[in-house]
Amino acid sequence: MSHSIYTPRQQYVLLIVCLLVLAGLVLFGLGSYITGLFGAGILYVVFRPWWAALVHQRHWNRQLASAGLLTFALVVIILPFTALILMLVNRLQFYAVHTDTTQLMAVLHTLERRIGVSFTADQNVQTLIRQGLGWLSQRLPSLASGLLHFAIVIGLMLFTLYFMFVQEERFLHGLRRYLPFRDATLQELGEALRNNVHANVLGQALISLVQATLTGLLLWVFQVPDALFWGMVSFFMAFIPVLGTPLVWGPAALVKLAQGHTGQGVGILLIGVVVVMNIDNLLRIVLARRIGDIHPLITLVGVILGVEIFGILGLVIGPLLLSYFMVLMRVFERENRLRPAPADTAAQP
């Protein structure tokens, strides 16, 4: 005989509430470290075909194959990306300290005289610069002062990825057991996850790399100072749809025009519009046939959302989460239609 003061339904509801509260506490406790878990999931989807080919087809040792893939991810992806961020952060700090606002104001005033419209005030521009640098310093990981935090995130990501591979059957069985979806729906969600990772991570990273290379070469050819740095900036800017690299080579062209280098300024604008922007459209068309297409609005909103929550890694994670949210909404709509009507509703004339 039960001595509980709760009915079975109340116990069931309270159990769900307790699970949600504990899950919330876990997520709150992980805080920014949860980025490592998202990174592990993304890398798992990226390297899953390679791991399956090595383990299931060639019958390699699981631990050896997993360690090899983790080493490859660390050397080819994580360390170069970390070095890129370090260089970017260091250069931004240098510009924050050594930027001469009087030279910048002189360029802006020259532009005003050329177009005949006044749109700047010294105090407003200086305030805008300070706010922009402050915003960037908050969103970019401060690796110089947060190496321990960064190392923990990378360690957590690699540790999680290792066990996702080594204990793959247990991991996938747990997903099938505890996720509230039908088997067909789970298969659809898995396919959607693969497509979204390929489109938002692999495809966008390739497009950004090509555009950054072209932008850096463009600025170097037309003698823009620190072309390598601005090429790195354009790599991250290229994740933003529509705007992207024009945010880098556009101001460079305006500065050249304001300085009286008309040929260089016009050259940057022409090549930027004709080559850099069109190579973006061409690559998206080619890649869309192989890895799927993502609407630019989803990418833009995802970037804003992701950067606000996850910092610079949100350029990748944000669009991925938003795309998957849209997939879940479609699944919910379909499942809700398939659900049988309540008996009392069906019985009504």
Side-chain angles (χ1 to χ4, degrees):
M1 180 177 179
S2 175
H3 299 284
S4 175
I5 63 173
Y6 302 105
T7 65
R9 179 173 179 80
Q10 289 173 337
Q11 291 175 344
Y12 178 74
V13 172
L14 288 174
L15 175 61
I16 294 178
V17 171
C18 291
L19 288 174
L20 292 176
V21 170
L22 289 176
L25 290 175
V26 169
L27 293 176
F28 178 78
L30 288 173
S32 58
Y33 298 108
I34 200 172
T35 307
L37 300 180
F38 282 118
I42 292 173
L43 291 178
Y44 173 80
V45 175
V46 171
F47 290 116
R48 174 66 175 74
W50 295 10
W51 189 87
L54 293 175
V55 174
H56 297 311
Q57 298 179 14
R58 300 189 179 184
H59 306 289
W60 282 31
N61 179 272
R62 285 172 174 261
Q63 288 78 9
L64 179 62
S66 302
L69 289 177
L70 262 64
T71 303
F72 179 84
L74 180 64
V75 174
V76 177
I77 299 177
I78 297 174
L79 291 182
F81 189 72
T82 302
L84 185 64
I85 295 178
L86 272 172
M87 293 174 62
L88 183 62
V89 170
N90 289 335
R91 294 302 294 171
L92 285 175
Q93 292 175 344
F94 173 83
Y95 278 114
V97 175
H98 297 90
T99 297
D100 188 354
T101 56
T102 58
Q103 294 181 357
L104 178 60
M105 292 305 304
V107 172
L108 293 177
H109 290 323
T110 303
L111 286 174
E112 289 177 339
R113 288 193 298 270
R114 287 179 176 270
I115 64 177
V117 177
S118 178
F119 55 87
T120 62
D122 291 4
Q123 184 176 2
N124 293 338
V125 171
Q126 293 176 2
T127 302
L128 183 62
I129 293 173
R130 287 195 299 268
Q131 290 177 348
L133 292 174
W135 184 87
L136 285 174
S137 64
Q138 291 176 2
R139 297 308 181 270
L140 290 172
S142 180
L143 299 180
S145 60
L147 286 176
L148 178 60
H149 173 269
F150 181 76
I152 293 175
V153 170
I154 297 301
L156 177 63
M157 180 174 62
L158 295 177
F159 186 79
T160 304
L161 181 61
Y162 177 81
F163 283 100
M164 289 175 73
F165 280 136
V166 173
Q167 300 180 354
E168 183 187 41
E169 288 79 7
R170 184 184 301 179
F171 167 68
L172 295 178
H173 176 72
L175 288 180
R176 295 190 187 98
R177 182 176 182 180
Y178 292 108
L179 289 178
F181 303 114
R182 309 168 190 263
D183 290 340
T185 302
L186 284 175
Q187 185 175 358
E188 178 186 350
L189 292 175
E191 186 66 27
L193 179 60
R194 283 191 294 271
N195 292 337
N196 281 307
V197 168
H198 290 162
N200 286 305
V201 180
L202 299 180
Q204 186 57 56
L206 177 60
I207 292 173
S208 298
L209 181 60
V210 172
Q211 283 198 294
T213 302
L214 292 175
T215 302
L217 289 174
L218 172 64
L219 300 181
W220 176 73
V221 167
F222 287 102
Q223 301 177 358
V224 175
D226 214 353
L228 176 61
F229 165 73
W230 293 114
M232 290 189 299
V233 172
S234 65
F235 173 79
F236 296 100
M237 289 296 182
F239 281 86
I240 304 175
V242 183
L243 300 175
T245 54
L247 293 175
V248 177
W249 51 259
L254 293 178
V255 170
K256 285 293 184 180
L257 291 173
Q259 292 175 341
H261 305 298
T262 305
Q264 293 180 341
V266 172
I268 293 175
L269 287 176
L270 286 177
I271 297 178
V273 172
V274 175
V275 178
V276 180
M277 292 187 67
N278 282 315
I279 199 67
D280 174 31
N281 298 328
L282 177 61
L283 286 174
R284 290 185 187 278
I285 292 173
V286 173
L287 293 174
R289 298 174 181 173
R290 300 187 173 215
I291 60 178
D293 192 15
I294 303 297
H295 196 281
L297 181 60
I298 293 179
T299 304
L300 179 60
V301 176
V303 165
I304 297 173
L305 172 70
V307 171
E308 185 66 27
I309 299 176
F310 302 105
I312 196 169
L313 293 179
L315 291 171
V316 173
I317 299 177
L320 184 63
L321 290 180
L322 191 58
S323 298
Y324 212 56
F325 172 76
M326 301 300 292
V327 173
L328 287 175
M329 288 295 294
R330 291 196 297 269
V331 169
F332 173 78
E333 180 183 4
R334 187 181 66 250
E335 294 287 331
N336 195 47
R337 289 178 178 176
L338 295 176
R339 190 177 63 178
D344 56 344
T345 304
Q348 292 179 1

